[in-house]
Amino acid sequence: MAKSRTAHRVAIFNSRPDFIEALRVALEANGFTTACAHLADIQNGVLDLLAFVHLHKPELIIYDLPRPYESHWNFLRLLKETDSLKGATWVLTTTDKKALEAAVGASGVVEIIFGEPYGVADVVAAVGKTFADAF
């Protein structure tokens, strides 16, 4: 009998519904449990973020950093300081790492995936690197 592995919990916060869905499908195919939210719904308060985190308890959050970088970076900093999210690991995605670094400085976060466009496989690989038992 094969040893079962833990289904790690991943939250996807992105601004593109098509990418959210493709990433969700790919992560779940690799054994992850996912919960998804559109960035605008979080930022404008349509989604109760505290209730979302309490319900889904994400271990890792995939967070997209779109333009304007300064405002999204500041919002990310606030999220990371939320008590219920302090223990989470963060994988950041952006399409222009150089512009992001110019706007906010070097981030020092777990991983930033960038490119135009970055692919689902790139993000799944970054998530897999975070968990020793993932693949």
Side-chain angles (χ1 to χ4, degrees), residues 47-67:
L47 175 73
D48 183 337
L49 182 63
L50 295 178
F52 178 94
V53 170
H54 181 73
L55 176 65
H56 299 291
K57 298 175 179 52
E59 299 168 79
L60 182 140
I61 298 168
I62 301 166
Y63 185 89
D64 184 44
L65 282 159
R67 295 179 187 266

Side-chain angles (χ1 to χ4, degrees), residues 17-29:
D18 57 329
F19 189 80
I20 291 171
E21 181 60 13
L23 185 54
R24 181 195 66 75
V25 168
L27 287 169
E28 289 179 0

Side-chain angles (χ1 to χ4, degrees), residues 65 73 76-77 80 92 97-112:
L65 282 159
W73 180 256
L76 171 65
R77 289 177 50 216
K80 288 179 70 167
L92 305 183
K97 185 178 179 184
K98 289 181 183 178
L100 172 66
E101 287 179 348
V104 301
S107 65
V109 296
V110 171
E111 183 149 353
I112 296 181

